[in-house]
Amino acid sequence: MNGTNKTTVGVVFGIALAYAALSLVLTIMEILDGGPVSIYLFAPHGGELGIDLSQVAGIDRIVELYAGFVALFGDDKMISLVIVLLGFVMSAVGMMTPWSMSVRSDTNPAEYLWVKRPGSVVRGLGAPWGLIGTCWDKSKPLAIVPIVLLPFYAVWSVMITVFMLLPFLVMKAVIGSKVRSAARREQNSGAGSAVCPKCKRNFSSPKVRCKCGLILDYPVPNEYGYKVHTCENGHDIPCTHGMRRELVTVCPFCEQEIETREAVPISIALVGAQGAGKTTLMLAAVGTISQVARTRDVAVDAATSGVDRNAVAAKDVVARTASGELDSECLFLRSRDMSDRELIFNDISGTEFEPKEGKTLFQEYYRYSDGIVFAFDPIALENGRGSSPMDVFESFHSTFNQINGVGPGAVSRIPFAVVATHNDVLSPSLASSDVRKFLMDNGQGGFVRVLESVFSDVRYFAATSTGDDCKSAAVPFWWIVGKTDQELASKVPVLSV
């Protein structure tokens, strides 16, 4: 048991056993003085320290039955003392049995809070009867033994249960209040959901791996603790916001280690043909976002190598993206006056948008993407090289609908940014306001009409991704961020730079 549980059990059991022990002492003293076998409750009454329960209406019959049972073993004073003491000991031992004390969980390898475990009232107040529960759990026929011995300890168990009632309920209320208070604070500071950059699934929270290897539910103030959770091997795991940053988090689906840092995720998917410049566009955007963020006292930390400083510095000579499923690229932003954010970029090879049979669907992130950046090369379009925007969009949209389980005519509200890349080498260069017309003039009127019929929020951009001045590359990404997270967009004002 952890410290909280030990304290709780110690207070509840300690009060009940101490009071019952005083009653036992009075009972033994009366027997030694030659009085009849009875049960004496420790309480001042009529100038005496104890109350003979055989004189209390409603209880007298039970005590008489108990005295009659003791009398079956003879009138010897020592025999009576042994039987009375044995009954008390059996009740006390029952309180220490696994049935009474266990705080193990069947679904999460962490200790429950003793007063918050399932059936806590029955298990807590029924602790003096723990011999029956423990034997029943091990083998139902074995439970016959403590049932047969019930006359020895039934009266003492009833007494201890009564003595436990008030301290148990008080401790249950105190612990419950602490859990609720901590949970309210958690709601005001916790992140919404998390995303696995490896299997691409999103979830309400990750799991954590203890230093002993056990994988536990994400620790938040609940029935397992309000400050710490304790694994079944006795290791404490903090469960309050800010204290969990150093925990090893794992995806609940693929169980691979991931970084979440309690940050609010913003997921952006990149779509485009081979050579459209998606990766360079992403790196140029990351570079601009990082520069602006640092001028506003927002720390930027790349959790994956694909968007770190070295990758951004080499954006002009980036290698062609490998085909197949790739890990997401993750960028964390942190400020003292703003909860952490995680920008997640899903960039895959343009080969995945080429029409082909038996295509493997791995774009799970289409279920929860906060926006789509669709990149096309205007030079390639003018020259008729490669897949057209319409070809790429049809392939993308088919996958998008399958992942989301909707029909081809369904309208999505996800912000959709269409970006003309390589604007620095296009002559004449395009303004963002010219991109839609450029597409229409180059045979992509069908693409524009279909796109705008199935996505309700479409905007067109022209971007420069190479060289030193790449602010325009960040604009479509930050337009999406502004649609999703106005606080972050205002804190890092990329669009106004």
Side-chain angles (χ1 to χ4, degrees):
M1 278 190 170
N2 62 24
T4 301
N5 281 333
K6 287 179 180 177
T7 299
T8 305
V9 172
V11 169
V12 175
F13 284 5
I15 292 174
L17 284 174
Y19 208 90
L22 290 173
S23 299
L24 173 66
V25 170
L26 284 176
T27 299
I28 291 175
M29 290 174 61
E30 290 296 330
I31 293 175
L32 290 175
D33 287 344
V37 175
S38 183
I39 299 294
Y40 289 84
L41 178 65
F42 181 79
H45 177 72
E48 301 290 336
L49 283 178
I51 300 174
D52 185 353
L53 294 181
S54 65
Q55 306 299 317
V56 180
I59 305 177
D60 54 344
R61 185 59 181 163
I62 298 174
V63 177
E64 288 173 7
L65 289 173
Y66 178 71
F69 169 76
V70 175
L72 292 175
F73 294 86
D75 297 328
D76 185 87
K77 192 178 300 185
M78 293 307 298
I79 293 177
S80 298
L81 289 174
V82 168
I83 294 174
V84 169
L85 186 59
L86 177 63
F88 179 87
V89 170
M90 291 179 70
S91 294
V93 169
M95 299 172 73
M96 309 302 168
T97 58
W99 186 86
S100 304
M101 299 283 283
S102 177
V103 289
R104 291 173 62 93
S105 169
D106 293 332
T107 57
N108 183 28
E111 292 184 7
Y112 280 117
L113 289 170
W114 188 72
V115 292
K116 299 290 286 184
R117 57 191 175 156
S120 61
V121 175
V122 173
R123 284 179 174 264
L125 297 179
W129 311 87
L131 288 173
I132 298 176
T134 297
C135 291
W136 180 271
D137 289 342
K138 287 187 175 182
S139 173
K140 291 179 176 56
L142 186 61
I144 296 174
V145 175
I147 291 174
V148 169
L149 297 175
L150 199 60
F152 285 94
Y153 63 91
V155 174
W156 291 107
S157 292
V158 170
M159 180 183 291
I160 295 174
T161 298
V162 172
F163 293 158
M164 284 178 58
L165 181 60
L166 182 59
F168 178 86
L169 294 179
V170 168
M171 290 301 292
K172 186 174 179 64
V174 169
I175 298 296
S177 176
K178 289 180 177 292
V179 170
R180 289 191 297 273
S181 176
R184 282 194 297 270
R185 291 194 298 271
E186 183 74 15
Q187 289 176 352
N188 295 330
S189 59
S193 61
V195 172
C196 176
K198 300 182 182 297
C199 72
K200 309 299 193 301
R201 297 191 184 186
N202 70 328
F203 34 85
S204 58
S205 58
K207 289 183 177 290
V208 298
R209 178 176 284 120
C210 181
K211 62 183 179 182
C212 64
L214 290 175
I215 295 179
L216 295 84
D217 292 343
Y218 196 66
V220 296
N222 56 18
E223 65 270 20
Y224 296 103
Y226 56 89
K227 285 187 177 180
V228 297
H229 291 189
T230 304
C231 80
E232 291 179 350
N233 292 326
H235 301 120
D236 286 343
I237 300 170
C239 66
T240 53
H241 184 75
M243 300 298 293
R244 297 176 296 226
R245 293 186 185 277
E246 303 305 319
L247 295 178
V248 177
T249 51
V250 299
C251 172
F253 296 104
C254 66
E255 293 193 350
Q256 295 193 61
E257 290 188 10
I258 59 175
E259 285 192 67
T260 61
R261 305 188 191 181
E262 299 187 304
V264 178
I266 302 170
S267 177
I268 299 175
L270 286 89
V271 177
Q274 272 190 296
K278 299 185 299 299
T279 303
T280 303
L281 179 71
M282 175 187 70
L283 291 172
V286 168
T288 297
I289 293 167
S290 300
Q291 290 174 6
V292 177
R294 292 186 180 107
T295 65
R296 298 301 192 275
D297 294 324
V298 177
V300 179
D301 181 21
T304 54
S305 60
V307 288
D308 63 13
R309 290 185 178 182
N310 293 332
V312 172
K315 64 180 176 60
D316 293 352
V317 290
V318 66
R320 178 166 291 184
T321 304
S323 59
E325 184 173 5
L326 304 174
D327 288 354
S328 303
E329 302 294 350
C330 304
L331 191 73
F332 288 94
L333 293 92
R334 184 178 182 183
S335 173
R336 288 172 299 188
D337 56 355
M338 180 185 71
S339 60
D340 290 9
R341 303 297 202 272
E342 179 186 15
L343 294 181
I344 301 170
F345 302 96
N346 289 297
D347 176 28
I348 60 175
S349 171
T351 59
E352 302 303 330
F353 301 108
E354 295 176 355
K356 56 184 175 182
E357 297 293 331
K359 183 183 293 186
T360 301
L361 301 181
F362 56 79
Q363 294 92 334
E364 179 74 23
Y365 49 83
Y366 286 158
R367 294 186 189 274
Y368 56 83
S369 290
D370 294 296
I372 307 292
V373 172
F374 185 100
F376 76 96
D377 181 357
I379 299 175
L381 179 59
E382 282 186 320
N383 297 332
R385 298 197 313 266
S387 300
S388 70
M390 186 65 187
D391 294 335
V392 173
F393 180 79
E394 286 181 340
S395 178
F396 151 75
H397 195 235
S398 174
T399 302
F400 180 87
N401 287 338
Q402 289 183 66
I403 293 292
N404 286 284
V406 298
V411 178
S412 174
R413 297 181 180 179
I414 295 176
F416 198 105
V418 180
V419 184
T421 59
H422 302 158
N423 201 36
D424 52 322
V425 295
L426 185 66
S427 183
S429 60
L430 290 170
S432 292
S433 57
D434 299 330
V435 173
R436 186 178 187 277
K437 184 177 184 301
F438 177 86
L439 288 165
M440 300 285 285
D441 293 344
N442 284 273
Q444 295 302 304
F447 161 66
V448 171
R449 287 189 292 273
V450 172
L451 167 62
E452 293 177 354
S453 69
V454 293
F455 284 89
S456 62
D457 194 2
V458 180
R459 188 166 173 178
Y460 299 87
F461 302 87
T464 295
S465 305
T466 56
D468 296 329
D469 185 8
C470 301
K471 293 186 179 71
S472 59
V475 173
F477 293 90
W478 225 242
W479 171 72
I480 291 172
V481 169
K483 295 282 186 176
T484 304
D485 190 335
Q486 190 58 51
E487 182 185 7
L488 176 60
S490 299
K491 182 67 177 177
V492 184
V494 170
L495 298 184
S496 62
V497 174

